[in-house]
Amino acid sequence: MKNIVLDVHEKPKAWKWIALSLQHLFAMFGSTILVPLLTGLQPAVALLSSGVGTLAYLIITRGKIPAYLGSSFAFIVPIISVSTNEGVGAALFGCFLAGLVYGAVALIITRFGSDWLHQMLPPVVIGSVVIVIGLSLAGTAVDMASTHQITQALPEDVKDFQALPGQVESIDEEAGTVTLKVYSLPHFGVALATLAIAVIANLFLRGFLNLIPVLLGVVGGYLTALAAGMVDLSPVREAPWFALPQFTTPEVSWTAALVILPVALVTLAEHIGHLMVTSDIMGRDLTHDPGLHRSLMGDGVATSIASLFGGPPNTTYGENIGVMAITRIFSVWVIGGAAVIAISFSFIGKLSALISTIPTPVMGGVSILLFGIIASAGLRMLVENRTDFDDKRNLVIASVVLVIGVGGAALKFTGLNFEVEGMALATLTGILLNLILPPSREDKGKPEVTTPAA
């Protein structure tokens, strides 16, 4: 058994419990509120639904899988497409049905077992997809760490446009302004300071401080950014102490369902990849106890609950898996504590406003570490399952998955306003290649290792 600081059902002391839960809250916060900001949904509702969804997941999985569920990035494009054409309520209906798809697959696994899924998703596919999950977010982490947005007057002609000092993010013709993404050495310096504090805390500190490197990194980075004048505290002063989240009701739209439901097939594979990583980190096979069916059912229920509230679909979070990999703390009490804090923050205006003032480069600094750990976990999965890359079949599958996923390839259906890209396309490609390519002669009759090493 690998060295474990706190196992699944172990409860830390009160003050440690709060600090450890806050660490998970900070890890998921940026991504969880980013999805609603991009899709036009309410960040407070996303916080509330992520907390409620996580608690539901922990109950359904019998408190045996320490996973935090936050806003899913895979649904961003279809939600925006449906919202533009049919409204937010229609998009939420499609997301609600996506949760039911999870439940349907969970029931099939309950009836027929999960061996068919293991055949469809062997270690070479899952390991490669997990690497893609980490590396596909690498660009996001670096952008968060090294760039910031500026707004200036809209240029009068093309030549002036070409001379702009950064990448165009958006144009507001009515206001006559253009928003640019510009490289900033001071911002990158704050990100590196945040990363350095987290790394030093993880490698050199002892005792309880060694268990909260991400939290220390965020706090240290925040203070660094504050000293550098990058923190705007006006939202905290203006926010009320109590603020009720603004809920949105789903509206029946089968067109929206046709656009959004296929995404559920992709996030199913993503969920399995996250569960395999968690299993590997913990040194136990969570797909058998409490079972993949319970994990999928928990994720499906969380997604449907979020849609009923008016929040984005939920998914297990790689950032929080990265925190567990660093700290070796797998307590569901800690995860549940983070969920309760998230729920409370969705109603406390000033607290949620304070967390929202964390500068982007601070979150970028810790994301460099967390996303890298996810990619490394995928590589470790390939190694521990003894994936043979002298086998041309394995080499082809891994190569294609990695290049499509990291390269950001896209399959676009313009008539349906729907596209599958990057990680999602890589996952589907890996599954199809594994089903289509014939097994190697030397692998016939050879047992495949799929259980994480203890």
Side-chain angles (χ1 to χ4, degrees):
M1 179 64 67
K2 299 177 182 178
N3 181 38
I4 296 176
V5 178
L6 282 178
D7 209 348
V8 177
H9 292 129
E10 293 182 320
K11 186 191 300 183
K13 294 181 179 179
W15 65 276
K16 290 185 178 181
W17 188 356
I18 294 174
L20 292 171
S21 294
L22 281 173
Q23 179 169 242
H24 276 281
L25 179 75
F26 284 126
M28 70 83 188
F29 189 87
S31 298
T32 294
I33 66 170
L34 178 60
V35 174
L37 288 174
L38 293 175
T39 55
L41 301 175
Q42 294 296 320
V45 176
L47 273 180
L48 174 64
S49 60
S50 74
V52 174
T54 297
L55 293 178
Y57 178 89
L58 295 178
I59 292 171
I60 293 172
T61 56
R62 297 179 175 176
K64 293 185 176 182
I65 304 178
Y68 193 94
L69 278 66
S71 304
S72 173
F73 277 73
F75 289 87
I76 290 177
V77 173
I79 288 177
I80 292 175
S81 298
V82 172
S83 297
T84 301
N85 297 323
E86 299 194 40
V88 174
L92 292 173
F93 176 74
C95 295
F96 173 79
L97 294 183
L100 298 186
V101 170
Y102 275 78
V105 174
L107 293 176
I108 294 173
I109 293 174
T110 302
R111 177 65 179 84
F112 299 103
S114 61
D115 288 343
W116 60 278
L117 267 179
H118 290 299
Q119 292 294 325
M120 187 172 67
L121 295 165
V124 65
V125 175
I126 291 293
S128 301
V129 169
V130 171
I131 293 174
V132 167
I133 290 173
L135 294 185
S136 64
L137 296 169
T140 301
V142 172
D143 276 347
M144 291 169 65
S146 59
T147 63
H148 77 292
Q149 291 184 341
I150 62 172
T151 301
Q152 64 182 55
L154 197 63
E156 295 181 357
D157 55 40
V158 177
K159 291 184 179 180
D160 290 337
F161 237 104
Q162 294 173 346
L164 290 174
Q167 179 182 341
V168 176
E169 288 283 280
S170 62
I171 297 175
D172 188 339
E173 295 184 359
E174 292 184 4
T177 59
V178 57
T179 301
L180 306 172
K181 182 170 68 176
V182 181
Y183 174 82
S184 169
L185 183 58
H187 284 70
F188 194 41
V190 169
L192 292 179
T194 304
L195 176 61
I197 293 170
V199 170
I200 291 172
N202 184 49
L203 295 179
F204 301 109
L205 296 184
R206 294 293 179 264
F208 178 69
L209 294 179
N210 180 255
L211 304 180
I212 53 171
V214 176
L215 179 58
L216 292 177
V218 171
V219 172
Y222 188 90
L223 294 176
T224 304
L226 186 63
M230 297 181 186
V231 179
D232 179 15
L233 293 175
S234 59
V236 181
R237 292 190 292 268
E238 297 170 0
W241 279 104
F242 178 82
L244 188 68
Q246 300 178 8
F247 300 104
T248 305
T249 305
E251 299 176 2
V252 176
S253 171
W254 298 109
T255 302
L258 291 175
V259 174
I260 293 178
L261 280 182
V263 182
L265 301 178
V266 177
T267 54
L268 280 171
E270 179 187 7
H271 178 100
I272 295 170
H274 282 167
L275 189 62
M276 293 290 287
V277 173
T278 306
S279 295
D280 184 64
I281 291 171
M282 297 177 66
R284 64 195 68 170
D285 192 353
L286 299 174
T287 62
H288 284 85
D289 183 22
L292 177 59
H293 63 293
R294 286 188 174 276
S295 185
L296 287 174
M297 181 63 76
D299 201 339
V301 169
T303 291
S304 294
I305 289 175
S307 302
L308 291 175
F309 284 169
N314 282 329
T315 186
T316 48
Y317 252 32
E319 292 92 327
N320 298 88
I321 297 174
V323 171
M324 290 191 296
I326 294 173
T327 62
R328 312 297 302 163
I329 292 175
F330 309 128
S331 172
V332 294
W333 294 97
V334 171
I335 299 294
V340 171
I341 295 173
I343 293 172
S344 66
F345 277 19
S346 68
F347 291 94
I348 303 174
K350 287 193 180 296
L351 285 176
S352 57
L354 177 63
I355 293 183
S356 69
T357 63
I358 298 176
T360 301
V362 173
M363 300 309 301
V366 295
S367 295
I368 290 174
L369 178 62
L370 296 178
F371 295 157
I373 287 174
I374 298 302
S376 300
L379 180 60
R380 178 178 177 177
M381 189 180 297
L382 294 175
V383 172
E384 292 191 347
N385 282 281
R386 303 174 187 173
T387 303
D388 182 12
F389 283 106
D390 285 333
D391 181 348
K392 294 180 180 179
R393 183 178 186 275
N394 289 337
L395 186 63
V396 167
I397 292 174
S399 300
V400 174
V401 168
L402 290 173
V403 171
I404 287 179
V406 177
L411 188 62
K412 301 182 179 181
F413 303 91
T414 53
L416 297 175
N417 288 322
F418 172 70
E419 66 179 46
V420 182
E421 62 177 347
M423 179 180 65
L425 183 58
T427 303
L428 291 177
T429 302
I431 293 173
L432 290 175
L433 287 176
N434 179 62
L435 295 175
I436 294 172
L437 296 179
S440 301
R441 293 180 181 178
E442 56 269 25
D443 282 351
K444 290 182 178 180
K446 185 186 295 183
E448 189 170 25
V449 181
T450 56
T451 302

